[in-house]
Amino acid sequence: MNAVTSLKSVVHPYTTAPFDLARIRADFPILKLSVNGKPLAYLDNAASAQMSQSVLDRLIQYQTREHANIHRAVHYLSETATAAYEGARKKIQRFINAREEREVIFTRGTTDAVNLVMHGYGRALLGDNDEIIISQLEHHSNIVPWQMLCQEKGCKLRVIPCNDAGELLLDEYERLFNARTKFVAITHVSNALGTVNPVKDMIATAHRHGVPVLVDGAQAAPHLKVDVQDLDCDFYCFSAHKLCGPTGIGILHGKAVHLEKMQPYQGGGDMILSVTFEKTTYNVIPYKFEAGTPPIAAAIGLGAAVDYLNGVGMEHVATWEHQLLEYATRELGQMKGVRMIGTAKDKAAVLSFNVDGVHPHDVGTILNEEGVAVRTGHHCAQPVMQRFGVPATARASFCFYNTLEEVDQLVAGIRRVQKMFA
Ligand SMILES: Cc1ncc(COP(=O)(O)O)c(C=O)c1O
């Protein structure tokens, strides 16, 4: 038993981490910060998680010893950079168990990936009166692009409702299918509520109706073991910065059979095989969708983040975050005047709540004075707020490097909020 584990069993008989939490935390330099004279409790991981020293070191190594533009030269640095960039693609292929490397496309993030599919698949293949199913739990980035498509092409959005716990109503989902249904776009994990949707079953349902499915995995890939072949999704997207990687890079996984027939999202260098003024021949996948110089360092940084997560083990990540969530749910559940929003049976590491009589922004401001970083607002999921009749929530979201003591710091901060507004 290591020192941290034994300390936890004294202070917190509730639970222990499946790894050496002190060592994990030492890998993340930013976690050592103090904010307003208090130790930082960083509980805003659903917005963006922090990078380990290994990821930061990899970025510096790339910039200081390996940088050149990729795919375009035979000199040493270009070949080194290309190998590192393509090596990162390989790591991500293994991380999500994609069938082939060419099914992994580097994008700017989840938003960019959804827009790529909306342009490349939606604009090319959907038309007047075709229907797209999304859910009430979507982030704006999995709503707005489809609305834009509807405006342009005359398609219709159909929305899967959810119950008071924030779980999707699967019978209603099944009833939405008809001969005009052409696409399903659903989130794996709700960023506002933490609900884990049964996407494998939902994909099977859609496939029974011959309809392809895009899964927004922005809040799932950092917390659960994702296997795109097991899910059998047609498209899967996520962002590196929520996965302890850099900003500006993300992934679209698509089945080759779809990617092959899709139109490119953007035109330019690297996405072509040949260009004349009369005609351009597009490159093969994945390059057809990677026009221009990509964020090479960020892609390599994402590869390093995946290495780090593999080292921790996604099963351990999920186990510990679940225990943090259970502990926080129990503690906040005992507080009078605290309402939790999103109480699904299957949840990932997100806890949305409101304090009676206090605006969430005031909750966030006072928690910040206590060194606790939470997000307040509509979390880019206004339809979720409308469903629950609130303008906003405060949201604590956990990462595997968080501790039970940080949950205690959150609880103490909420008590101070209540005292100040009593
Ligand atoms: C569920 C979900 N989808 C999509 C996004 C958009 O991600 P990005 O801003 O990295 O493109 C987010 C970001 O919070 C999210 O939580």
Side-chain angles (χ1 to χ4, degrees):
M1 194 184 267
N2 61 51
V4 173
T5 311
S6 53
L7 179 73
K8 288 269 174 287
S9 56
V10 176
V11 179
H12 277 292
Y14 182 75
T15 188
T16 54
F19 40 59
D20 187 337
L21 193 48
R23 268 188 53 195
I24 296 265
R25 287 181 68 79
D27 288 339
F28 290 82
I30 205 166
L31 299 180
K32 296 185 188 78
L33 284 182
S34 293
V35 171
N36 294 321
K38 310 278 167 53
L40 167 68
Y42 186 75
L43 304 180
D44 193 18
N45 296 286
S48 221
Q50 302 297 349
M51 285 190 270
S52 64
Q53 188 64 53
S54 61
V55 174
L56 298 168
D57 288 346
R58 186 67 190 91
L59 293 173
I60 289 170
Q61 183 191 327
Y62 169 74
Q63 294 294 173
T64 51
R65 302 176 61 91
E66 300 172 20
H67 172 65
N69 211 330
I70 53 169
H71 295 153
R72 287 175 205 163
V74 290
H75 64 77
Y76 167 78
L77 280 180
S78 181
E79 286 186 346
T80 308
T82 302
Y85 180 80
E86 292 302 331
R89 196 191 306 277
K90 180 92 204 147
K91 287 175 187 185
I92 292 143
Q93 179 206 347
R94 291 204 197 104
F95 185 64
I96 58 172
N97 193 31
R99 197 182 304 272
E100 302 177 65
E101 261 172 78
R102 66 193 185 117
E103 293 185 328
V104 174
I105 297 163
F106 286 114
T107 65
R108 283 191 298 122
T110 308
T111 306
D112 195 38
V114 176
N115 277 278
L116 190 161
V117 177
M118 184 278 269
H119 280 265
Y121 189 99
R123 293 178 94 189
L125 301 171
L126 270 64
D128 212 16
N129 285 325
D130 283 344
E131 294 185 4
I132 302 158
I133 297 178
I134 61 169
S135 88
Q136 200 157 23
L137 301 182
E138 301 309 316
H139 186 281
H140 295 164
S141 63
N142 203 24
I143 302 174
V144 182
W146 304 115
Q147 273 176 336
M148 292 163 83
L149 183 67
C150 290
Q151 266 170 20
E152 184 186 323
K153 294 280 177 180
C155 314
K156 293 198 172 62
L157 270 192
R158 309 294 303 273
V159 181
I160 316 163
C162 70
N163 63 19
D164 290 344
E167 295 160 330
L168 293 181
L169 299 176
L170 299 179
D171 291 347
E172 300 283 335
Y173 169 58
E174 183 94 50
R175 274 197 281 277
L176 290 177
F177 284 91
N178 61 51
R180 293 183 302 277
T181 311
K182 293 289 158 58
F183 204 78
V184 173
I186 43 171
T187 191
H188 196 163
V189 172
S190 155
N191 69 310
L193 306 180
T195 310
V196 181
N197 291 322
V199 287
K200 187 174 173 181
D201 292 346
M202 295 176 78
I203 291 163
T205 301
H207 286 176
R208 276 199 299 280
H209 293 271
V211 177
V213 182
L214 174 143
V215 178
D216 170 354
Q219 297 296 343
H223 306 292
L224 317 168
K225 176 88 198 99
V226 171
D227 181 332
V228 292
Q229 290 190 66
D230 180 55
L231 290 177
D232 198 26
C233 51
D234 298 276
F235 300 99
Y236 197 94
C237 346
F238 58 94
S239 303
H241 67 96
K242 297 180 195 289
L243 197 94
C244 303
T247 51
I249 192 91
I251 295 297
L252 169 66
H253 165 264
K255 283 183 180 168
V257 61
H258 297 309
L259 296 175
E260 298 275 22
K261 68 181 179 213
M262 282 163 55
Q263 290 300 302
Y265 179 30
Q266 294 182 318
D270 243 24
M271 54 75 72
I272 53 88
L273 286 178
S274 70
V275 179
T276 65
F277 286 118
E278 288 70 41
K279 183 176 165 27
T280 290
T281 311
Y282 301 136
N283 207 339
V284 294
I285 61 168
Y287 312 111
K288 183 170 83 172
F289 298 106
E290 294 180 4
T293 302
I296 306 165
I300 294 167
L302 171 57
V306 163
D307 285 342
Y308 187 86
L309 286 169
N310 285 335
V312 178
M314 287 310 288
E315 310 76 25
H316 289 156
V317 164
T319 303
W320 179 236
E321 289 178 355
H322 193 70
Q323 293 184 37
L324 287 166
L325 180 70
E326 270 193 5
Y327 179 60
T329 304
R330 192 187 70 173
E331 293 297 300
L332 265 68
Q334 289 169 357
M335 297 180 83
K336 260 181 123 177
V338 175
R339 178 187 170 207
M340 274 178 285
I341 295 157
T343 50
K345 276 187 214 78
D346 196 2
K347 276 187 65 171
V350 168
L351 207 156
S352 254
F353 63 94
N354 276 333
V355 179
D356 285 353
V358 190
H359 193 279
H361 289 301
D362 293 328
V363 175
T365 305
I366 296 164
L367 287 176
N368 180 54
E369 287 169 11
E370 299 298 312
V372 180
V374 297
R375 184 136 301 235
T376 57
H378 53 62
H379 316 296
C380 294
Q382 287 184 1
V384 175
M385 302 298 119
Q386 287 149 15
R387 167 65 179 81
F388 286 86
V390 292
T393 73
R395 180 188 72 182
S397 55
F398 304 103
C399 188
F400 56 88
Y401 47 58
N402 287 126
T403 66
L404 297 168
E405 287 79 1
E406 288 175 315
V407 176
D408 293 338
Q409 204 175 329
L410 168 70
V411 170
I414 298 172
R415 285 218 178 89
R416 180 157 172 254
V417 171
Q418 289 180 316
K419 230 187 237 160
M420 287 175 74
F421 280 82

